[in-house]
Amino acid sequence: MDARTHLSSFAEAAEAAVDSGALAGIVGTVTTPRETVFESAHGWRDHGRSLPMAADSVLALASMTKAVTAVGVLQLVERGLVGLDDPLGAILPFFAAPQVLDGFGADGMPLLRPARGTVTLRHLLTHSSGLANETWSADLVRFKEKTGAPTLATRTNASLEVPLLFDPGAHWQYSLGLEWTGKLIEALTGQTLGAYLAEHVTGPLGMVDTQFGPLPHQQDRLAGVFQREDDGTLHATDFALLPGEFESGGGGLYGTAQDYLVFLRMLLNRGRHDGIEILRPGTIDLMETEQIPAIAVTRMATAMPHRSNDFEPSAGLEAGWNLGGVLLREPSPNGRPAGSWGWGGLANCYFWVDGVNGLAGMVLSQVLPFGDGEVLRLFAALERDAYGKGPA
Protein backbone atom coordinates (compact mmCIF):
# COMPACT_ATOMS: atom_id res chain seq x y z
CA MET A 1 0.00 0.00 0.00
CA ASP A 2 1.36 3.40 -0.95
CA ALA A 3 -0.01 6.12 1.31
CA ARG A 4 1.85 8.94 -0.41
CA THR A 5 -0.88 9.78 -2.89
CA HIS A 6 -3.62 10.14 -0.27
CA LEU A 7 -2.31 12.44 2.44
CA SER A 8 -3.60 15.90 1.59
CA SER A 9 -6.66 16.01 3.86
CA PHE A 10 -4.69 15.76 7.10
CA ALA A 11 -2.27 18.52 6.13
CA GLU A 12 -5.04 20.86 5.01
CA ALA A 13 -7.10 20.22 8.14
CA ALA A 14 -4.06 20.64 10.40
CA GLU A 15 -3.19 23.99 8.81
CA ALA A 16 -6.78 25.14 9.20
CA ALA A 17 -6.82 24.12 12.88
CA VAL A 18 -3.63 26.08 13.54
CA ASP A 19 -4.79 29.11 11.57
CA SER A 20 -8.08 29.22 13.49
CA GLY A 21 -6.34 28.93 16.87
CA ALA A 22 -7.96 25.58 17.59
CA LEU A 23 -4.50 24.01 17.95
CA ALA A 24 -1.04 25.38 18.59
CA GLY A 25 0.91 22.65 16.84
CA ILE A 26 0.72 19.05 15.61
CA VAL A 27 2.82 16.46 13.79
CA GLY A 28 1.44 13.65 11.61
CA THR A 29 3.45 10.72 10.24
CA VAL A 30 2.81 7.43 8.42
CA THR A 31 5.22 4.58 7.75
CA THR A 32 5.36 1.27 5.93
CA PRO A 33 7.80 -1.48 6.98
CA ARG A 34 10.37 0.04 4.62
CA GLU A 35 10.12 3.79 4.93
CA THR A 36 8.34 6.89 6.12
CA VAL A 37 5.75 7.79 3.50
CA PHE A 38 4.36 10.91 5.13
CA GLU A 39 5.67 13.46 7.59
CA SER A 40 3.97 16.78 8.20
CA ALA A 41 4.38 19.32 11.02
CA HIS A 42 2.15 22.33 11.54
CA GLY A 43 2.00 25.27 13.90
CA TRP A 44 4.20 26.03 16.88
CA ARG A 45 5.91 24.18 19.66
CA ASP A 46 6.33 27.07 22.09
CA HIS A 47 3.86 29.07 24.17
CA GLY A 48 4.88 32.25 22.38
CA ARG A 49 4.06 30.64 19.03
CA SER A 50 7.31 31.70 17.43
CA LEU A 51 9.16 28.36 17.12
CA PRO A 52 7.79 25.98 14.47
CA MET A 53 6.65 22.50 15.41
CA ALA A 54 8.83 19.90 13.66
CA ALA A 55 9.23 16.15 13.40
CA ASP A 56 12.23 16.39 15.73
CA SER A 57 10.42 18.48 18.35
CA VAL A 58 10.59 16.80 21.76
CA LEU A 59 7.18 16.05 23.27
CA ALA A 60 5.70 14.31 26.30
CA LEU A 61 4.66 10.92 24.90
CA ALA A 62 2.91 9.98 28.16
CA SER A 63 1.01 6.70 27.72
CA MET A 64 2.61 5.98 24.36
CA THR A 65 5.35 4.80 26.76
CA LYS A 66 3.23 1.74 27.48
CA ALA A 67 3.95 -0.01 24.18
CA VAL A 68 7.70 0.55 24.65
CA THR A 69 7.57 -0.89 28.18
CA ALA A 70 5.55 -3.85 26.88
CA VAL A 71 8.25 -4.62 24.31
CA GLY A 72 10.86 -4.42 27.08
CA VAL A 73 9.11 -6.90 29.35
CA LEU A 74 8.32 -9.28 26.48
CA GLN A 75 12.06 -9.52 25.92
CA LEU A 76 12.29 -10.85 29.48
CA VAL A 77 9.46 -13.31 28.73
CA GLU A 78 11.51 -14.53 25.77
CA ARG A 79 14.49 -15.04 28.11
CA GLY A 80 12.39 -17.10 30.51
CA LEU A 81 12.74 -14.64 33.39
CA VAL A 82 8.98 -14.34 33.82
CA GLY A 83 5.87 -15.90 32.31
CA LEU A 84 2.76 -14.06 31.28
CA ASP A 85 0.68 -16.05 33.75
CA ASP A 86 3.12 -16.33 36.65
CA PRO A 87 1.83 -14.91 39.95
CA LEU A 88 3.87 -11.77 40.60
CA GLY A 89 3.82 -11.75 44.40
CA ALA A 90 7.18 -13.50 44.71
CA ILE A 91 8.85 -10.82 42.56
CA LEU A 92 6.83 -7.75 43.56
CA PRO A 93 5.79 -8.07 47.23
CA PHE A 94 2.92 -5.61 46.75
CA PHE A 95 1.08 -8.32 44.81
CA ALA A 96 1.64 -11.07 47.40
CA ALA A 97 -1.67 -10.27 49.13
CA PRO A 98 -3.53 -7.57 47.16
CA GLN A 99 -6.67 -6.00 48.58
CA VAL A 100 -9.86 -5.09 46.69
CA LEU A 101 -11.74 -1.86 47.41
CA ASP A 102 -15.21 -3.17 48.26
CA GLY A 103 -16.98 0.16 48.72
CA PHE A 104 -17.08 2.74 51.48
CA GLY A 105 -18.56 2.50 54.95
CA ALA A 106 -21.11 4.75 56.62
CA ASP A 107 -18.21 6.85 57.92
CA GLY A 108 -16.93 7.28 54.36
CA MET A 109 -13.84 5.17 54.94
CA PRO A 110 -12.87 2.49 52.39
CA LEU A 111 -13.84 -1.13 52.89
CA LEU A 112 -11.21 -3.65 51.78
CA ARG A 113 -11.19 -7.41 51.28
CA PRO A 114 -8.57 -9.90 50.06
CA ALA A 115 -8.47 -10.34 46.30
CA ARG A 116 -9.71 -13.60 44.85
CA GLY A 117 -6.94 -14.78 42.55
CA THR A 118 -3.44 -13.56 41.79
CA VAL A 119 -2.15 -10.75 39.61
CA THR A 120 -0.05 -11.79 36.59
CA LEU A 121 1.94 -9.99 33.93
CA ARG A 122 -0.83 -10.68 31.41
CA HIS A 123 -3.21 -8.85 33.74
CA LEU A 124 -0.87 -5.87 34.03
CA LEU A 125 -0.39 -5.57 30.26
CA THR A 126 -4.09 -5.88 29.47
CA HIS A 127 -5.49 -3.62 32.23
CA SER A 128 -7.41 -6.53 33.71
CA SER A 129 -5.50 -6.74 37.01
CA GLY A 130 -8.06 -4.80 39.04
CA LEU A 131 -5.77 -1.80 39.29
CA ALA A 132 -7.07 1.57 38.11
CA ASN A 133 -5.70 5.02 37.32
CA GLU A 134 -7.07 7.88 39.39
CA THR A 135 -7.58 10.11 36.34
CA TRP A 136 -10.39 7.77 35.27
CA SER A 137 -11.54 6.38 38.62
CA ALA A 138 -13.72 8.38 40.99
CA ASP A 139 -13.49 5.54 43.52
CA LEU A 140 -9.70 5.70 43.53
CA VAL A 141 -9.78 9.49 43.92
CA ARG A 142 -12.16 9.07 46.86
CA PHE A 143 -9.93 6.38 48.39
CA LYS A 144 -6.90 8.65 48.26
CA GLU A 145 -8.81 11.59 49.67
CA LYS A 146 -10.09 9.53 52.60
CA THR A 147 -6.78 7.82 53.38
CA GLY A 148 -4.35 10.63 52.54
CA ALA A 149 -2.53 8.37 50.08
CA PRO A 150 -0.34 10.34 47.65
CA THR A 151 -1.60 11.05 44.16
CA LEU A 152 0.14 9.69 41.08
CA ALA A 153 1.40 13.19 40.29
CA THR A 154 3.79 12.93 43.27
CA ARG A 155 5.74 10.18 41.43
CA THR A 156 6.25 8.45 44.78
CA ASN A 157 6.34 4.68 45.11
CA ALA A 158 3.50 4.93 47.60
CA SER A 159 1.29 6.49 44.91
CA LEU A 160 1.29 3.14 43.09
CA GLU A 161 0.31 1.10 46.13
CA VAL A 162 -3.44 1.27 45.73
CA PRO A 163 -6.14 -1.38 46.19
CA LEU A 164 -7.63 -3.23 43.27
CA LEU A 165 -11.14 -2.26 42.21
CA PHE A 166 -12.08 -5.83 41.26
CA ASP A 167 -10.62 -9.33 41.29
CA PRO A 168 -7.86 -10.03 38.76
CA GLY A 169 -9.21 -10.99 35.35
CA ALA A 170 -12.80 -9.98 36.03
CA HIS A 171 -13.01 -6.74 34.03
CA TRP A 172 -11.07 -4.18 31.99
CA GLN A 173 -10.11 -0.90 33.67
CA TYR A 174 -7.45 1.47 32.37
CA SER A 175 -4.80 1.26 35.03
CA LEU A 176 -1.35 1.50 36.56
CA GLY A 177 -0.52 -1.90 35.08
CA LEU A 178 2.36 -0.60 32.98
CA GLU A 179 3.80 1.43 35.87
CA TRP A 180 4.02 -1.85 37.75
CA THR A 181 5.39 -3.57 34.63
CA GLY A 182 8.26 -1.08 34.76
CA LYS A 183 8.80 -2.03 38.39
CA LEU A 184 8.82 -5.69 37.32
CA ILE A 185 11.52 -5.01 34.71
CA GLU A 186 13.64 -3.33 37.38
CA ALA A 187 13.16 -6.23 39.83
CA LEU A 188 14.09 -8.84 37.21
CA THR A 189 17.12 -7.03 35.76
CA GLY A 190 18.58 -4.96 38.59
CA GLN A 191 18.58 -1.94 36.26
CA THR A 192 16.47 1.18 36.32
CA LEU A 193 13.71 1.08 33.74
CA GLY A 194 15.35 3.87 31.74
CA ALA A 195 18.70 2.09 31.68
CA TYR A 196 17.10 -1.19 30.60
CA LEU A 197 15.08 0.36 27.78
CA ALA A 198 18.09 2.37 26.59
CA GLU A 199 20.21 -0.79 26.41
CA HIS A 200 17.65 -3.16 24.92
CA VAL A 201 14.95 -1.17 23.09
CA THR A 202 15.41 2.53 22.38
CA GLY A 203 19.19 2.31 22.10
CA PRO A 204 19.32 -0.50 19.52
CA LEU A 205 16.57 1.30 17.58
CA GLY A 206 18.58 4.52 17.50
CA MET A 207 15.86 6.44 19.37
CA VAL A 208 18.40 8.95 20.66
CA ASP A 209 15.79 11.54 21.70
CA THR A 210 13.62 9.15 23.75
CA GLN A 211 14.06 9.01 27.52
CA PHE A 212 12.40 9.71 30.86
CA GLY A 213 12.18 13.49 31.23
CA PRO A 214 13.56 16.03 28.73
CA LEU A 215 17.33 16.39 28.81
CA PRO A 216 19.14 19.77 29.04
CA HIS A 217 20.37 19.62 25.45
CA GLN A 218 16.79 19.12 24.22
CA GLN A 219 15.36 22.27 25.76
CA ASP A 220 15.55 24.23 22.50
CA ARG A 221 13.37 21.57 20.81
CA LEU A 222 10.97 20.93 23.72
CA ALA A 223 7.30 21.58 22.93
CA GLY A 224 5.17 23.45 25.44
CA VAL A 225 1.85 22.04 26.62
CA PHE A 226 -1.47 23.91 26.28
CA GLN A 227 -4.67 23.56 28.29
CA ARG A 228 -8.01 23.84 26.50
CA GLU A 229 -10.64 25.75 28.42
CA ASP A 230 -14.37 24.99 28.36
CA ASP A 231 -14.87 27.70 25.72
CA GLY A 232 -12.32 26.03 23.43
CA THR A 233 -9.51 28.53 23.90
CA LEU A 234 -5.96 27.46 24.71
CA HIS A 235 -3.59 28.78 27.31
CA ALA A 236 -0.07 27.84 28.35
CA THR A 237 0.37 25.35 31.18
CA ASP A 238 3.47 24.07 32.96
CA PHE A 239 2.49 20.39 32.68
CA ALA A 240 5.55 18.13 32.72
CA LEU A 241 6.30 14.43 33.18
CA LEU A 242 9.34 14.24 35.43
CA PRO A 243 10.75 11.12 37.09
CA GLY A 244 10.42 11.00 40.87
CA GLU A 245 10.97 7.90 42.97
CA PHE A 246 10.26 5.80 39.88
CA GLU A 247 10.46 6.07 36.10
CA SER A 248 6.95 5.56 34.80
CA GLY A 249 6.64 2.62 32.45
CA GLY A 250 3.05 3.68 31.91
CA GLY A 251 3.62 7.27 30.94
CA GLY A 252 7.01 8.88 31.51
CA LEU A 253 8.80 9.01 28.17
CA TYR A 254 9.61 12.10 26.14
CA GLY A 255 10.52 11.67 22.50
CA THR A 256 10.06 12.78 18.91
CA ALA A 257 7.85 11.73 16.03
CA GLN A 258 10.94 10.60 14.15
CA ASP A 259 12.04 8.35 17.01
CA TYR A 260 8.64 6.80 17.65
CA LEU A 261 8.13 6.09 13.98
CA VAL A 262 11.24 3.88 14.10
CA PHE A 263 9.63 1.97 16.98
CA LEU A 264 6.42 1.51 14.97
CA ARG A 265 8.40 0.39 11.93
CA MET A 266 10.15 -2.24 14.06
CA LEU A 267 6.73 -3.63 15.00
CA LEU A 268 5.70 -3.74 11.33
CA ASN A 269 8.95 -5.59 10.58
CA ARG A 270 8.01 -8.28 13.10
CA GLY A 271 10.54 -7.27 15.71
CA ARG A 272 13.53 -6.37 13.55
CA HIS A 273 15.28 -3.10 12.71
CA ASP A 274 18.35 -2.75 10.48
CA GLY A 275 19.32 -6.36 11.06
CA ILE A 276 18.84 -6.18 14.84
CA GLU A 277 16.21 -8.37 16.48
CA ILE A 278 14.34 -6.54 19.24
CA LEU A 279 11.65 -9.21 19.57
CA ARG A 280 11.21 -12.58 17.86
CA PRO A 281 8.52 -12.77 15.16
CA GLY A 282 6.52 -15.17 17.28
CA THR A 283 6.57 -12.71 20.15
CA ILE A 284 5.26 -9.97 17.87
CA ASP A 285 2.45 -12.33 16.86
CA LEU A 286 1.70 -12.92 20.55
CA MET A 287 1.87 -9.20 21.35
CA GLU A 288 -0.65 -8.38 18.63
CA THR A 289 -3.09 -11.18 19.48
CA GLU A 290 -6.22 -10.42 21.49
CA GLN A 291 -5.65 -11.37 25.13
CA ILE A 292 -9.02 -10.74 26.83
CA PRO A 293 -11.66 -11.94 24.32
CA ALA A 294 -14.34 -12.35 26.98
CA ILE A 295 -13.86 -8.87 28.43
CA ALA A 296 -15.15 -5.63 26.89
CA VAL A 297 -12.99 -2.51 26.67
CA THR A 298 -15.26 0.18 28.04
CA ARG A 299 -15.62 3.94 28.09
CA MET A 300 -13.14 5.77 30.31
CA ALA A 301 -15.20 8.17 32.46
CA THR A 302 -12.99 10.99 33.66
CA ALA A 303 -12.52 11.77 37.34
CA MET A 304 -10.22 14.70 36.52
CA PRO A 305 -11.75 16.80 33.71
CA HIS A 306 -8.74 19.11 33.49
CA ARG A 307 -6.58 16.11 32.54
CA SER A 308 -8.98 14.03 30.43
CA ASN A 309 -12.35 14.16 28.79
CA ASP A 310 -14.54 11.07 28.88
CA PHE A 311 -12.90 8.83 26.30
CA GLU A 312 -14.00 5.96 24.06
CA PRO A 313 -10.82 3.87 23.56
CA SER A 314 -11.98 2.51 20.20
CA ALA A 315 -14.19 5.36 18.98
CA GLY A 316 -17.28 3.27 19.64
CA LEU A 317 -16.12 0.18 17.74
CA GLU A 318 -16.01 -3.32 19.21
CA ALA A 319 -12.57 -3.64 20.75
CA GLY A 320 -10.38 -5.79 22.93
CA TRP A 321 -6.82 -5.50 24.15
CA ASN A 322 -3.59 -7.16 23.09
CA LEU A 323 -0.25 -6.88 24.90
CA GLY A 324 0.39 -3.40 23.50
CA GLY A 325 -2.87 -1.49 23.21
CA VAL A 326 -6.51 -1.40 22.19
CA LEU A 327 -7.28 -3.88 19.39
CA LEU A 328 -10.11 -3.42 16.90
CA ARG A 329 -12.48 -6.37 16.70
CA GLU A 330 -14.16 -4.87 13.63
CA PRO A 331 -13.01 -2.65 10.74
CA SER A 332 -12.88 1.09 11.22
CA PRO A 333 -14.78 3.39 8.86
CA ASN A 334 -11.47 5.23 8.47
CA GLY A 335 -9.93 2.20 6.77
CA ARG A 336 -8.15 0.32 9.52
CA PRO A 337 -8.89 -3.43 9.55
CA ALA A 338 -9.95 -5.63 12.44
CA GLY A 339 -6.79 -6.71 14.24
CA SER A 340 -5.07 -3.34 13.97
CA TRP A 341 -4.24 -1.74 17.29
CA GLY A 342 -2.88 1.38 18.94
CA TRP A 343 -3.07 3.74 21.86
CA GLY A 344 -2.36 7.34 22.87
CA GLY A 345 -0.79 9.69 25.36
CA LEU A 346 -2.28 12.18 27.80
CA ALA A 347 -1.35 15.35 25.88
CA ASN A 348 -3.25 14.04 22.84
CA CYS A 349 -0.73 11.84 21.08
CA TYR A 350 -2.17 8.82 19.22
CA PHE A 351 -0.76 5.96 17.10
CA TRP A 352 -1.92 2.87 15.26
CA VAL A 353 -0.22 -0.30 14.00
CA ASP A 354 -1.68 -2.37 11.15
CA GLY A 355 0.33 -5.53 10.57
CA VAL A 356 -2.14 -6.80 7.97
CA ASN A 357 -1.47 -3.96 5.51
CA GLY A 358 1.99 -3.01 6.80
CA LEU A 359 0.99 0.51 7.79
CA ALA A 360 1.42 2.54 10.97
CA GLY A 361 0.95 6.19 11.81
CA MET A 362 0.53 8.74 14.55
CA VAL A 363 -0.33 12.28 15.43
CA LEU A 364 1.50 14.11 18.22
CA SER A 365 0.25 17.26 19.88
CA GLN A 366 0.66 18.83 23.33
CA VAL A 367 -2.77 19.86 24.54
CA LEU A 368 -4.87 18.87 27.54
CA PRO A 369 -7.31 17.37 28.35
CA PHE A 370 -6.92 13.93 26.76
CA GLY A 371 -9.54 12.98 24.21
CA ASP A 372 -9.45 16.40 22.57
CA GLY A 373 -11.97 16.58 19.74
CA GLU A 374 -9.76 18.64 17.42
CA VAL A 375 -6.83 16.21 17.65
CA LEU A 376 -9.03 13.14 17.34
CA ARG A 377 -10.58 14.64 14.20
CA LEU A 378 -7.11 15.08 12.72
CA PHE A 379 -6.08 11.56 13.73
CA ALA A 380 -9.13 10.25 11.88
CA ALA A 381 -8.20 12.37 8.85
CA LEU A 382 -4.70 10.89 8.85
CA GLU A 383 -6.12 7.37 9.00
CA ARG A 384 -8.53 8.09 6.16
CA ASP A 385 -5.76 9.59 4.07
CA ALA A 386 -3.42 6.65 4.71
CA TYR A 387 -6.08 4.16 3.58
CA GLY A 388 -7.23 6.21 0.61
CA LYS A 389 -10.65 6.94 2.08
CA GLY A 390 -10.61 10.69 1.43
CA PRO A 391 -12.37 13.30 3.58
CA ALA A 392 -15.05 12.15 6.02
Side-chain angles (χ1 to χ4, degrees), residues 24-384:
I26 192 164
V27 181
T29 57
V30 178
T31 187
T32 69
R34 299 176 302 280
E35 61 182 339
T36 301
V37 295
F38 178 75
E39 181 180 280
S40 178
H42 306 268
W44 315 102
R45 69 175 183 271
D46 66 318
H47 291 150
R49 303 194 184 199
S50 61
L51 302 173
M53 183 70 85
D56 68 346
S57 294
V58 177
L59 301 94
L61 299 177
S63 287
M64 284 175 59
T65 304
K66 288 177 167 65
V68 181
T69 301
V71 165
V73 81
L74 288 173
Q75 293 175 329
L76 304 183
V77 173
E78 286 185 344
R79 290 166 55 187
L81 296 183
V82 66
L84 284 172
D85 297 310
D86 292 347
L88 297 180
I91 306 170
L92 297 172
F94 175 73
F95 292 113
Q99 298 284 299
V100 173
L101 178 62
D102 209 23
F104 296 86
D107 61 356
M109 295 305 291
L111 303 174
L112 301 175
R113 64 165 175 82
R116 304 181 187 100
T118 58
V119 174
T120 68
L121 175 57
R122 194 187 306 270
H123 290 141
L124 294 183
L125 293 176
T126 58
H127 303 283
S128 60
S129 65
L131 290 166
N133 183 308
E134 62 208 53
T135 301
W136 299 275
S137 173
D139 282 344
L140 194 51
V141 170
R142 184 179 178 187
F143 171 84
K144 291 196 170 188
E145 289 173 345
K146 291 296 183 181
T147 62
T151 66
L152 190 60
T154 65
R155 286 293 189 266
T156 55
N157 290 321
S159 71
L160 302 178
E161 297 177 352
V162 296
L164 311 184
L165 297 191
F166 50 84
D167 293 311
H171 304 290
W172 181 90
Q173 170 82 40
Y174 192 62
S175 73
L176 302 177
L178 275 295
E179 278 80 4
W180 278 107
T181 301
K183 290 284 194 181
L184 179 64
I185 290 173
E186 293 181 337
L188 292 171
T189 66
Q191 295 179 274
T192 66
L193 178 60
Y196 178 84
L197 293 178
E199 181 177 350
H200 296 280
V201 183
T202 58
L205 290 173
M207 297 169 66
V208 296
D209 278 320
T210 303
Q211 71 292 307
F212 290 100
L215 300 177
H217 74 272
Q218 296 175 318
Q219 291 300 317
D220 63 341
R221 290 185 288 134
L222 183 64
V225 180
F226 293 80
Q227 182 80 39
R228 191 180 299 284
E229 299 295 345
D230 291 341
D231 64 2
T233 59
L234 300 175
H235 70 79
T237 181
D238 59 0
F239 172 86
L241 299 172
L242 302 177
E245 292 181 359
F246 65 94
E247 292 172 324
S248 175
L253 285 178
Y254 280 74
T256 66
Q258 291 176 337
D259 268 13
Y260 208 85
L261 209 65
V262 175
F263 176 74
L264 297 182
R265 193 176 298 132
M266 176 274 294
L267 295 173
L268 292 179
N269 280 301
R270 295 173 55 74
R272 298 188 66 83
H273 172 72
D274 285 349
I276 299 171
E277 185 174 82
I278 304 298
L279 284 179
R280 300 169 188 163
T283 305
I284 293 291
D285 290 342
L286 174 65
M287 181 179 182
E288 296 189 334
T289 298
E290 173 145 18
Q291 300 293 315
I292 52 171
I295 298 175
V297 172
T298 55
R299 176 173 169 268
M300 295 160 58
T302 185
M304 297 182 177
H306 65 291
R307 291 176 66 85
S308 177
N309 296 310
D310 291 346
F311 184 68
E312 292 284 353
S314 60
L317 299 171
E318 282 290 322
W321 206 269
N322 60 22
L323 298 178
V326 63
L327 176 120
L328 294 186
R329 290 173 174 165
E330 60 179 323
S332 159
N334 297 328
R336 284 173 51 195
S340 63
W341 62 280
W343 195 232
L346 190 65
N348 283 282
C349 302
Y350 304 93
F351 74 90
W352 87 84
V353 179
D354 171 7
V356 175
N357 293 299
L359 205 60
M362 66 182 149
V363 297
L364 302 182
S365 70
Q366 297 286 267
V367 59
L368 296 170
F370 183 62
D372 183 76
E374 288 289 341
V375 181
L376 289 172
R377 180 174 61 85
L378 290 172
F379 184 56
L382 185 68
E383 289 178 307
R384 293 183 67 83

